[in-house]
Amino acid sequence: STTLSIDLSQDWVNATVILQSTNKPSGTPQLSYPSLWWDERDSIFYSGATGRTSYFDSPKPPPSSLWSFKPDGTGSGAWAEVLPAGDDAWVNVIRTAYGYQASAGSTALVLGGVATSKTSPETEDLSRDTLQPGLLDFDMRTRRFTNWSATDFNVNGTGVEGQMHFVPSFGPDGLFVIMGGNNASDHQYGLDQITLYDAASHRWYNQSATGNVPRGRREFCVAGVNSTEGTYEIFLYGGDNGNLGPEAVSYDEIYILTLPAFYWVKVQYPPQSPRGGHTCNAVGGSQIISIGGFDVNSTVYLGQYDDIRESMFNSTDPFAQGLGIFNMTSLAWEDHYTANAPAYVQSELIRTFYTDNPQDGSQFSTPELNELFKTTHFTPVGTSDSNSTGAPAPDAQSSSGHDHAGVIAGGVVGGIVGLAVVAGIVFYFYKRMKRRNAAEQHQNSSNGLKTPVHPQAGAAQEMQVGSAQLEGQGIQEMQQQPSEMPAYGRFREGYDREARHELEAAQRR
């Protein structure tokens, strides 16, 4: 397999942008739904801790191992194994797929997910995919894992195919925002309830969201950015209802969850590009790049399951080369990327809401959450960075006794996986890497970006995505293989939350 890159230091049009190719070394895990965790301090990302092999060609799952990728600032870089199979770090750690993922600073989190016969050799004999409860916490400094309870997320402490997104702007150390997804059966988690996790204190918060609330869904993407007005906007695009065939619903709609109001606003435009299993990254100040995806409204509705599933990949991607660009300020789709776009400014929709609805703290579900949001971190406005630019809110406090630099600079767009029909595995922006020395002397200089992607051949392709958005850099991993999709009316056949005895038996072997 190879690593492809797109130069984000230059303007380009999606139909003609050229991908640079670099060989990916043998031995790296070939996984769908892989982890991708960015370490801002050391300028590397980690992959391989989560994911599964393809269901199409039935390869044996590789043993659990963790690999790093060190970008070199030119669109290439070097892979290296940092936690080999058999390392004691893997004791009591089960490789999962489909979980909620994000990273920030030196912390990477995986919430829930499932263990399957395709995730690891230890679980290869599982007859049913098994939901895994809990929150897996990876410390990038010690390179060790910790398991935490997640029963404050929901009673089962698990979920699949939603999004986790790091918001650096609120709380002493930033907050992980968790939304959407499902319980691996017929129940979609509503987007009127948002979960927040404070990794520093290990506290969970449940917060109601109001406004034009999206319907529950899976396989959507999110990207976020702070504004010049002391708010943080999370953009949600696409997704589907988890069905195939006549019951399939694939969404082409964008909603904005604005914080601290926890208010949903729908962007109005004619739907014509339904996407699911794609990925989104906030880049270039005020832009989102959507990559890949599929439309569950397949062209085959009856017959064999595989025929229905594969028919989704026969439709033409609505965006050239699978690259869609959305302008967060004008709220319009575009066919081109602008390297030095202006910083994000609230759209009229968001400005009007806050003008008409001054915030007094009454929107918060608990007094504790209200107090948490009084501590804010909005860094100076730049011209190209997206996750860590903005101006302080009028009543912003800065907390003392904490080092926020790593957390804020390492803000992460939630790393969830997806299926796609364009080539790719690693997508990273190297704005700060390309000009690191200059940036240390000139903190406000503009920066270039690069985007690598790893493809594998195949007519029906599967792209697995984990993404990171940070100061001047973003990372996104996409691994292609032919994909399997859910059966009629269900997320996927064969999930059994009561089948843990099988998993425990497999672990003992």
Side-chain angles (χ1 to χ4, degrees):
S1 60
T2 62
T3 301
L4 303 181
S5 65
I6 300 175
D7 188 353
L8 298 185
S9 66
Q10 304 293 325
D11 295 353
W12 48 260
V13 175
N14 56 4
T16 58
V17 62
I18 297 174
L19 305 181
Q20 174 185 329
S21 178
T22 305
N23 288 334
K24 185 180 177 185
S26 62
T28 52
Q30 301 302 311
L31 297 169
S32 302
Y33 295 81
S35 55
L36 185 70
W37 306 327
W38 176 251
D39 183 344
E40 169 73 9
R41 189 194 72 176
D42 295 338
S43 298
I44 61 175
F45 66 77
Y46 297 95
S47 186
T50 69
R52 62 152 179 79
T53 57
S54 170
Y55 282 116
F56 272 109
D57 51 8
S58 300
K60 294 180 70 66
S64 295
S65 62
L66 190 69
W67 289 67
S68 69
F69 181 81
K70 178 74 171 179
D72 65 3
T74 69
S76 186
W79 289 90
E81 189 176 37
V82 294
L83 284 180
D87 191 284
D88 60 8
W90 298 110
V91 175
N92 298 321
V93 175
I94 300 169
R95 180 188 277 154
T96 60
Y98 312 119
Y100 304 70
Q101 299 193 48
S103 62
S106 62
T107 298
L109 301 177
V110 181
L111 172 63
V114 292
T116 82
S117 61
K118 298 293 185 179
T119 52
S120 71
E122 293 78 13
T123 59
E124 194 173 4
D125 292 337
L126 285 178
S127 61
R128 299 177 68 84
D129 297 352
T130 307
L131 276 166
Q132 294 301 295
L135 181 72
L136 185 66
D137 185 331
F138 177 68
D139 186 325
M140 299 180 192
R141 301 296 162 256
T142 63
R143 291 181 175 173
R144 288 299 181 264
F145 297 94
T146 304
N147 286 293
W148 301 94
S149 170
T151 53
D152 287 332
F153 171 61
N154 60 32
V155 66
N156 296 310
T158 190
V160 291
E161 295 194 320
Q163 284 283 6
M164 181 186 291
H165 177 82
F166 181 71
V167 176
S169 305
F170 298 103
D173 298 283
L175 295 166
F176 289 89
V177 175
I178 303 158
M179 63 176 74
N182 57 76
N183 66 353
S185 61
D186 294 321
H187 177 66
Q188 303 286 349
Y189 297 148
L191 288 161
D192 58 342
Q193 293 295 318
I194 307 298
T195 300
L196 299 99
Y197 180 70
D198 182 349
S201 65
H202 307 296
R203 291 283 306 276
W204 296 80
Y205 302 89
N206 294 307
Q207 170 66 35
S208 297
T210 59
N212 194 344
V213 180
R215 287 166 288 186
R217 63 194 64 200
R218 64 160 200 147
E219 299 279 72
F220 56 93
C221 71
V222 296
V225 62
N226 62 246
S227 75
T228 57
E229 303 299 325
T231 67
Y232 191 96
E233 274 73 69
I234 300 175
F235 288 72
L236 179 156
Y237 170 46
D240 64 72
N241 69 345
N243 297 330
L244 286 184
E247 298 178 2
V249 177
S250 192
Y251 301 114
D252 176 17
E253 48 193 17
I254 291 178
Y255 289 84
I256 305 169
L257 179 66
T258 180
L259 308 180
F262 285 92
Y263 188 85
W264 286 104
V265 175
K266 185 176 183 180
V267 178
Q268 300 298 327
Y269 65 86
Q272 54 187 351
S273 304
R275 293 284 88 188
H278 50 311
T279 180
C280 296
N281 288 266
V283 298
S286 55
Q287 299 161 100
I288 293 173
I289 297 181
S290 170
I291 301 179
F294 57 85
D295 181 356
V296 296
N297 293 306
S298 54
T299 57
V300 177
Y301 295 103
L302 299 174
Q304 296 298 315
Y305 172 65
D306 283 350
D307 294 336
I308 298 170
R309 177 180 57 203
E310 292 182 17
S311 72
M312 295 188 308
F313 298 94
N314 294 329
S315 60
T316 302
D317 196 298
F319 304 121
Q321 300 199 72
L323 302 173
I325 300 92
F326 185 78
N327 188 305
M328 291 184 281
T329 297
S330 66
L331 302 182
W333 286 102
E334 299 172 340
D335 64 357
H336 60 279
Y337 164 79
T338 303
N340 294 302
Y344 168 70
V345 177
Q346 285 178 342
S347 64
E348 186 64 30
L349 277 175
I350 303 300
R351 286 198 303 271
T352 298
F353 167 75
Y354 280 105
T355 299
D356 296 342
N357 300 273
Q359 301 299 295
D360 58 6
S362 61
Q363 75 273 23
F364 292 106
S365 298
T366 66
E368 292 80 10
L369 196 56
N370 185 15
E371 287 300 312
L372 196 62
F373 268 73
K374 288 181 180 179
T375 300
T376 60
H377 308 284
F378 289 93
T379 56
V381 176
T383 59
S384 301
D385 296 343
S386 58
N387 228 37
S388 55
T389 60
D395 60 347
Q397 297 179 355
S398 71
S399 62
S400 60
H402 294 276
D403 179 8
H404 307 292
V407 174
I408 295 170
V412 176
V413 172
I416 291 297
V417 296
L419 308 176
V421 292
V422 299
I425 176 175
V426 174
F427 178 78
Y428 74 92
F429 315 136
Y430 73 95
K431 295 178 72 172
R432 292 296 168 104
M433 297 211 57
K434 189 174 181 182
R435 302 172 186 171
R436 198 171 197 88
N437 292 335
E440 290 174 354
Q441 301 174 5
H442 249 315
Q443 294 186 2
N444 292 324
S445 64
S446 67
N447 302 292
L449 292 171
K450 287 256 177 175
T451 312
V453 191
H454 298 248
Q456 289 183 339
Q461 299 172 340
E462 182 174 70
M463 177 184 293
Q464 305 308 331
V465 181
S467 60
Q469 176 63 49
L470 41 126
E471 184 185 12
Q473 293 177 315
I475 295 182
Q476 179 174 22
E477 172 146 311
M478 299 167 252
Q479 200 146 9
Q480 261 185 292
Q481 296 167 353
S483 71
E484 80 294 334
M485 292 299 298
Y488 287 96
R490 292 185 63 83
F491 156 79
R492 188 172 288 102
E493 294 180 312
Y495 279 98
D496 186 357
R497 72 184 82 242
E498 305 298 332
R500 293 192 57 81
H501 62 280
E502 281 192 69
L503 179 59
E504 290 166 359
Q507 288 180 277
R508 288 195 293 268
R509 285 193 287 271

